[in-house]
Amino acid sequence: MTTPFPFTAVVGQDDLRLALLLNAVSPAVGGVLVRGEKGTAKSTAVRALSALLPEVPVVPGCRFSCDPASPDPGCPDGPHEAGGGAERPARMVELPVGASEDRLVGALDIERALSEGVKAFEPGLLADAHRGILYVDEVNLLHDHLVDLLLDAAAMGASYVEREGVSVRHAARFLLVGTMNPEEGELRPQLLDRFGLTVEVAASREPDQRVEVVKRRLAYDDDPAAFAARWAEEETAVRARIVAARELLPSVRLGDGALRQIAATCAAFEVDGMRADIVMARTATALAAWAGRTDVLAEDVRQAALLALPHRRRRNPFDAPGLDEDKLDETLEEFGGSDDDDPDPDPGPDGPGGGGGQPEPDDAPQGDGDTAARPEAGENGQPQPSGAGEQSAVRASEPFRTKVLSVPGIGEGAAGRRSRARTEHGRTTGARRPRGALTKLHLAATVQAAAPHQRARGRSGPGLVVRRDDLRQATREGREGNLVLFVVDASGSMAARQRMSAVKGAVLSLLLDAYQRRDKVGLVTFRGTGADVALPPTSSVDAAAARLETLPTGGRTPLAAGLLRAHDVLRVERLRDPARRPLVVLVTDGRATGGPEPVALAGRAARLFAADGVASVVVDCESGPVRLGLAGQLAGELGGTAVTLDELRADSIAGLVKDVQRRAA
């Protein structure tokens, strides 16, 4: 068995370690979401936590980890008599991003259920994680249908497996911990709210601290057992402190003053619902217990707000997470009730949050993690142009709700909410013989296949004699996510500030729609002498929005170069993800300049998309009293449709989807 990296040997990341420890003290806090760049010890810290948790008493032989003091009366392995039991280490169960539904919730033997009436059930990961930790690395990439199952289990504390009237239920209460890199996409709001706390992590910019990280990692890789032995004393001390805090937790008093501060803070930051108030109360109580106190102080409320509220304030994926700490301090001071006038007390020798809990606190600065490239500022504070004729970036206008753009036909791509597709979830449209394991039984088709053979099979009782060849898989139709590739004209003809602001607002609106429909997005821009891939296809629409925000304009219009670069992007992406169908959104006025016969060259490039059957929409940005209609001609070459910026709005155009499908047919 691999020796895990010791929790207490993690350098820095005080907020991350504190959030994990608070959940170890009080699982009712509701888990942790860890957001941050790659290589910041997110997974290392989470995996190390399980070694610090106290052992769990279980009923011997129960596959569902029933507590012997109060066994689950509906346990599939029960009934169990109260009393007795054995102890085992707390589990940390990892849910792979590509796991199947049966692997998560368990599998029911349909053939035995139909023919024998026996609930032959094989537990899944939710059963393994009961009374332990369920860890999802890259949780933002988890398929939607698995997210739905997690939400149900987290809300009800139980998992249900339903197969055509045969059901199995078992308890599933677990500590949900997820890690994610925001560059790869955001979480659905429903799942985001299920995490009690959230932590933003970034690699330290302090050389001495980075040196220490490398030293410890190299020492661990050379001899994991010896390295763990060096930290055994610290691990034992933290484990004992967790046990002591758990014992103290019921005695902690959450006074009316602290409750008023919690309610006022949640109201001041306009968080939705009441879950934030409850999580803050539980977190503040756990902080007090971790610090060895029986009273919740203002410093506990402040630390609880910093951990529990940032991810609940986001209204759309382009909002940066975080809290205005000055506003937080003003709210806490206004609603008083604190025994400490200092809203940001010295964390003291034990770490942050009135006890902090880090065996080796490190005060080295973490850096702001802001490495985004910005144009050099000129004398007037505006970014300087990087080339002749280039104008600085302008802000996007307010986003709006767009009409749905979809790809014609029926695909088989990743689950999403844009185009029609054959999926594991959705409405039943037919039946077929299963390819591999049976996942969705079509009961009527199965009975119809088995019925003619009952006499030959010697049926004598009420049960139906079912063979493997009789089973039929239900075919279902749902929605898929697509690759939405934006090809944006940033040339001089688009450079009028009011016009480019409207263009960026339209693209931002389409990006928001892509986020809601679980698409991948990419961004190609063209101006001057060529085209650039501003953002390779990704699930991170906020990354696309950031690139769009800093997009300058100016120069000629190499329309053909933009189309050819987009065609190359689609060719490469088709090799990586062949099931995901593309939708090209070309944002331009249709004018092409530079080089010999630029319009004819753009037409030939456009016909490459039509030959490949790629669905496309041209957003016509031409304005003014004299219009050439070049965008409409280009849409015809692409085999797509053209819409104006005004027509793109959901309340301004009817039947756009039908028009896209008709032209692409």
Side-chain angles (χ1 to χ4, degrees), residues 13 55-56 85 95 101 111 114 296 307 438 445 453 543 608 651:
Q13 309 296 12
E55 291 191 333
V56 178
L95 172 60
E101 178 181 340
E111 188 173 351
L114 284 175
V296 173
L307 293 172
L438 178 71
H453 308 291
L608 294 175
D651 54 359

Side-chain angles (χ1 to χ4, degrees), residues 5 121 184 246 262 347 411 450 569:
F5 193 92
F121 181 70
E184 297 174 341
R246 282 189 174 188
I262 289 171
V569 170

